[in-house]
Amino acid sequence: MDTVSSSRARCRQVSDLPCPKGLPFVGNLHQLSPTRLHLVLEQWAQELGSPFRFQICRMPVTVWTDPELCQAIMRERPHRYRRYASIEPVLEEIGTNGLFSAEGAAWAPQRKLIMQSLSIPNIKAFYPGLKATTERLYRRWQSAAAHGKVVEMTDDLKRYTVDVTSALAFGEDPRTLEQDRGVIQEHLALIFPMLMNRINAPFPYWRYVKLPRDRQLDRSLVEVHRYVRSMMSRARERMRDEPSESPRHLLEAMLAMRDTPGSGVTDDQVAANVLTLLLAGEDTTANSIAWALLYIAADPALQQRLFDSARGVLGSESVCPDFTSLKQLDLFEAVCTETGRLRPVAAVNSFEPLEDVCLADIMLPAGTKMFFLNRPATLDEKNFSNPLQFDPDRWLHDGSRPRTAHDPRAYLQFGAGPRVCPGRYLAAVEMRLVLSMLMANFSIQMAVDPGTIREVTAFTMVPSAMPVRLTARTA
């Protein structure tokens, strides 16, 4: 496949691509429900093939489903491609223009710090803190089971990931799992859906007219930024009063870089990265685990198998006792990986070229909007055998399956290239820890008809709800 060519003569134009029928002036804007965006695009991809385009007024947006093409673009970031340009100013407005959206020279130094903070050695050293937080989650669920309460799993898992991310990266544990109301997670939960609306809005209305949801976001942002700045202030006090030869966590490393003469790093950039990590850690991992429960609850045999596997590692303990033992919990990560294949939290990747390129025989002028859909490739029989079947064992196989039946290159939940997700190791540890604790100690049932749980586009792809009944296991 010729992914990038400078030969314009062989290239078609964006206007040559198929496009769903729209209306004069507005194009397809009226068909793009913000909460169903990924589903609308997937349906159009089935009908029109890939690539196709849709129109937001006069602006064309191209849509692609080829994972090899997506990986090729990811490898050429940030020099030849960037994220959707509208992301950066929207995040800048709300004070979250950190590593996720940073482009050009601002990206590299931030990337290095965060990759070091979320590296395997750091996570291994932090394991006692991870275990303690997981034990708090166990006690919360133990209480819910004892009182017959339905647990909204997405909320509890977000509390868990906020506690873990804060303690690991910032040296403070907000202990949201031990509180019922007034926690920072309640404010963080409002940000991602509003980001989705603003990034895809054809006109920045909120700069001129504030709707009720915009005012609610503003109030939450005040609380979130107050929380972040106070955490930065306390970190500076500890650095002054309890000096250390090297930074004890990411926040101290960022503040030390900020204070280095000529660094060019500002307090606003430090705060933006703190908030970026809180949002990313809170949302993606929590929703990945929550989606997995939908499949586990529907399969009693899988639940029994997970129970046996967990108890074989945990023994009589409620939580995995040490970091080394996590290596024996591959099945739990495989369950989450297979869930991500069928329910991708990162359902859409967005890019645009920084220069004119010819991609797969389509001429794309600089700035052309590009959406890559992740799920179509993972449901393609060329990449995965029996693609509609939930089969975590496909990720545990010894490699004897034909390459065409199991091609992990089609799975892009953590991205690829220089900007691959820096939190992927932490996510894998959290998945193993939480699910092994859950399956070792409880059996689960959905508290509603699973068919009523909808996929919602809210920057990431999240479940509309995940209410679960827990029953404590006696043995």
Side-chain angles (χ1 to χ4, degrees), residues 37 98 179 183 236 266 305 325 389 400:
L37 179 63
Q179 304 170 53
V183 296
R236 283 193 181 281
T266 67
R305 185 180 169 197
S325 298
Q389 179 182 349
S400 60

Side-chain angles (χ1 to χ4, degrees), residues 353-365:
L354 296 170
E355 59 190 50
D356 294 355
V357 297
C358 186
L359 194 68
D361 92 340
I362 308 298
M363 187 64 213
L364 302 174

Side-chain angles (χ1 to χ4, degrees), residues 98-109:
L99 178 67
F100 173 81
S101 53
E103 300 288 347
W107 166 74

Side-chain angles (χ1 to χ4, degrees), residues 330 392-403 406 408:
D330 289 348
D393 286 301
R394 72 172 82 240
W395 301 100
L396 300 173
H397 207 271
D398 60 9
S400 60
R401 290 186 183 186
R403 185 79 172 163
H406 178 72

Side-chain angles (χ1 to χ4, degrees), residues 10 55 83 86 98 125 137 143 156 179 183 284 302 324 329 349 376 394 408:
R10 295 184 306 178
Q55 296 288 140
R83 291 192 194 275
S86 59
L137 182 60
S143 175
D156 276 13
Q179 304 170 53
V183 296
T284 52
L302 177 60
T324 302
L329 296 171
N349 288 310
R394 72 172 82 240

